[in-house]
Amino acid sequence: MKAPSTYSSRLALAMVTVLEISAGKGLVEVSEVAKALDVTERMAREYLSDLEELGLLEYVGLGVYSVKRSRVRDILMKFEAEGGIQLRIQDFMVETPYFHRKAARLLSKIKPLISRGREIRELLLKSGQLNNLCGDRALYTKEDYISDLRSLENATALGEASTSEISNYVVGYAIPLTVSYIASAIAELEFGRSGELLGIRFAVRPKLREFKEEEPFEEGEPLYELSVEYPELLLLGRKIATRLLRDIERYKNLLGKVGKEPSFAVTLGSLRPHGFTVSSRCRILDALLKKSQELFEKVIDTCSRKGLTLVSLVDDPRDNRFVKAVSEILNLNRLGLSDIAFLSAIMLDGDATAPMKLEEERGRRVKNWYEFYFRRGLRVFKIEYVTTRDPIEVQKEIIGLLYPQFEVGGRLPFVSEALARAKTHVNYIRIRFEAALKSLALPQLGLAVEG
């Protein structure tokens, strides 16, 4: 294991190398960084993944990154103002009293975990059956399912990701206009006899095409218009509508692919948005909620008939259900930590919590819903799935397929490629819409973009 100071210096060298490559070519490829640093591509991916976490890079897709120039510019301006000599990794880390206070509070909470980490892990490994948790204990190790690990040979895997942007415009210096841009992308990865990647195909929504006046045009696809009866709820309504519309496109995209019997399908983000309710008096939002629920149930039903388990990968969960479930055996009073904060201090690579069966909760009506936490490398993910089969056996199948596919830094190719393409597509939609808006706005009135 490398010392933190050693890795920090090497990451700083990687950062300088990335900036040099970007200055010359614009985009940064993994192979170029590996060659310049004289390291393996796997090691180069680890450096690039860490630089992405620091906000320096953004993943474009197919092993290519772009530098976030606005982020670099802000840091360089501060760096020059302070008379710096050599740019450091620390310059990209925010250091303010607020974050110091937040870190101090967090450290006070996890101190018992650090001192009792091994003991707590052993308790979870021998815990026995607990409320809402399936299986005979709360935590499982890689050794419990290592025989189930398998590569994707002669198989097709799907990865789905969706994204959205909200932009505000002022037309004619008087009329405000808010537009949500939404896109879903599916990356269909085909693997050969030895599990090697043969190729990637993409499917994106909404679909855009040119048409002639005599051709049929479906009104409202892909454009929707929203208004709400209560002005004070307008901002919240826009956010909820954007989320629901994004999931509607996501479910439609999945329906076009899961019926073709892929070997595996994983989507980024929770399978079903929840945590809020919509009043029936908000007619548009209520209609969108019902439509998204209907499409979700159709996706799950299709997957069930095809014998396919649809898996969601949640990389930023904020729940504390697992902590509550195991608190009775840990003797840690008022822990006050999220599941991720707790499990990051306890779990080792390959560890998985027992599946937890969830009941219906606000905004989500679904049966046979299970979730568990899984650690790969330095990151802990929440994985959701719906099944009528034995949840423990399904979990083993999921981990058996997922574990070998993760890259260094926690990237899963299925969803990372899909997310990169979704971002590209939503940017394309925004550019096309803004061009149309500008062409229709009277020159003397103008068009302003607020962000």
Side-chain angles (χ1 to χ4, degrees):
M1 180 180 292
K2 302 179 184 69
S5 58
T6 301
Y7 185 75
S8 178
S9 62
R10 292 184 181 180
L11 188 60
L13 177 60
M15 177 184 65
V16 173
T17 302
V18 163
L19 293 175
E20 290 176 349
I21 293 174
S22 174
K25 297 184 62 176
L27 296 176
V28 179
E29 297 182 21
V30 172
S31 57
E32 289 182 305
V33 175
K35 184 178 180 180
L37 296 176
D38 193 23
V39 297
T40 64
E41 289 197 8
R42 186 175 180 85
M43 193 69 237
R45 287 182 185 275
E46 183 171 346
Y47 290 139
L48 293 170
S49 178
D50 286 344
L51 293 176
E52 183 183 14
E53 289 290 333
L54 290 173
L56 175 65
L57 299 178
E58 181 176 17
Y59 187 64
V60 178
L62 300 176
V64 178
Y65 293 78
S66 66
V67 173
K68 290 186 177 179
R69 301 197 178 280
S70 59
R71 169 82 163 138
V72 175
R73 182 174 60 251
D74 293 342
I75 296 297
L76 286 176
M77 290 177 63
K78 179 175 180 292
F79 176 74
E80 292 175 357
E82 295 175 355
I85 299 175
Q86 182 177 356
L87 199 60
R88 307 164 302 164
I89 285 296
Q90 290 88 336
D91 295 317
F92 286 86
M93 298 179 181
V94 180
E95 294 185 358
T96 66
Y98 169 78
F99 285 105
H100 279 295
R101 289 194 299 270
K102 187 165 183 141
R105 287 196 300 269
L106 180 60
L107 287 173
S108 67
K109 290 181 179 181
I110 66 173
K111 188 176 179 180
L113 300 182
I114 296 173
S115 61
R116 295 181 54 198
R118 182 175 298 181
E119 175 194 347
I120 291 172
R121 185 169 180 271
E122 289 299 320
L123 282 172
L124 296 180
L125 289 171
K126 303 174 182 177
S127 58
Q129 192 169 15
L130 297 172
N131 291 337
N132 298 328
L133 294 180
C134 305
D136 57 0
R137 49 199 160 104
L139 190 64
Y140 293 85
T141 69
K142 185 166 60 176
E143 285 68 30
D144 293 309
Y145 55 81
I146 195 166
S147 60
D148 297 296
L149 298 182
R150 62 188 181 94
S151 61
L152 289 168
E153 300 173 358
N154 289 327
T156 301
L158 301 181
E160 189 281 337
S162 56
T163 188
S164 59
E165 294 180 9
I166 299 179
S167 295
N168 299 307
Y169 305 92
V170 178
V171 181
Y173 306 111
I175 303 173
L177 177 67
T178 298
V179 179
S180 295
Y181 300 101
I182 299 155
S184 165
I186 286 180
E188 187 175 4
L189 283 68
E190 184 178 353
F191 297 88
R193 291 183 177 180
S194 303
E196 74 278 14
L197 180 61
L198 297 180
I200 304 177
R201 295 183 294 273
F202 293 97
V204 296
R205 284 194 62 90
K207 296 179 180 179
L208 302 182
R209 66 180 181 88
E210 295 185 1
F211 70 98
K212 299 177 183 178
E213 290 186 5
E214 62 270 19
E215 293 180 349
F217 177 74
E218 189 176 349
E219 194 73 35
E221 251 321 315
L223 302 178
Y224 301 82
E225 185 175 349
L226 170 70
S227 61
V228 296
E229 291 82 352
Y230 306 98
E232 65 272 15
L233 297 179
L234 186 58
L235 181 60
L236 178 61
R238 288 168 179 165
K239 290 182 178 180
I240 293 176
T242 298
R243 176 63 190 272
L244 292 173
L245 286 168
R246 193 175 74 191
D247 280 290
I248 286 171
E249 294 302 310
R250 170 200 200 185
Y251 300 143
K252 287 181 178 179
N253 212 5
L254 285 168
L255 281 171
K257 288 293 183 180
V258 295
K260 299 180 180 179
E261 301 187 21
S263 302
F264 195 64
V266 55
T267 180
L268 184 63
S270 180
L271 282 173
R272 181 83 186 111
H274 59 283
F276 60 89
T277 56
V278 173
S279 170
S280 59
R281 288 189 292 180
C282 297
R283 294 186 299 274
I284 299 296
L285 293 181
D286 187 50
L288 290 176
L289 183 62
K290 291 177 179 176
K291 184 175 183 179
S292 66
Q293 178 69 30
E294 177 186 336
L295 287 170
F296 168 74
E297 291 172 356
K298 192 173 181 180
V299 169
I300 296 301
D301 180 63
T302 302
C303 290
S304 178
R305 286 188 287 103
K306 296 290 183 179
L308 173 70
T309 300
L310 176 63
V311 175
S312 75
L313 187 74
V314 185
D315 57 1
D316 60 343
R318 301 173 186 179
D319 302 312
N320 65 344
R321 284 188 284 259
F322 183 82
V323 170
K324 290 181 179 178
V326 301
S327 60
E328 60 188 79
I329 65 168
L330 296 180
N331 194 26
L332 289 173
N333 296 327
R334 299 180 181 179
L335 191 58
L337 285 176
S338 66
D339 290 341
I340 283 291
F342 171 72
L343 292 170
S344 295
I346 300 300
M347 297 176 79
L348 301 180
D349 178 60
D351 283 353
T353 64
M356 177 180 288
K357 185 174 183 179
L358 298 190
E359 305 299 330
E360 179 179 323
E361 62 180 312
R362 188 171 56 178
R364 178 171 63 192
R365 303 192 314 271
V366 63
K367 296 180 180 179
N368 304 312
W369 178 294
Y370 298 89
E371 65 180 30
F372 66 93
Y373 291 93
F374 172 64
R375 179 158 189 164
R376 188 64 174 102
L378 298 176
R379 300 188 65 179
V380 177
F381 301 91
K382 185 171 77 170
I383 295 175
E384 302 171 342
Y385 61 102
V386 178
T387 185
T388 56
R389 296 163 52 205
D390 181 351
I392 294 290
E393 291 303 315
V394 175
Q395 181 190 46
K396 287 183 178 180
E397 293 174 8
I398 292 171
I399 297 176
L401 284 166
L402 276 183
Y403 186 90
Q405 302 302 324
F406 275 98
E407 296 178 350
V408 173
R411 186 182 301 281
L412 190 64
F414 309 143
V415 294
S416 60
E417 296 296 344
L419 182 59
R421 180 53 63 95
K423 289 180 178 179
T424 300
H425 192 54
V426 84
N427 186 55
Y428 170 72
I429 295 172
R430 179 179 53 78
I431 291 172
R432 293 291 296 269
F433 183 80
E434 286 182 354
L437 200 59
K438 289 177 181 177
S439 68
L440 293 176
L442 296 177
Q444 64 270 28
L445 295 180
L447 173 70
V449 181
E450 291 187 343

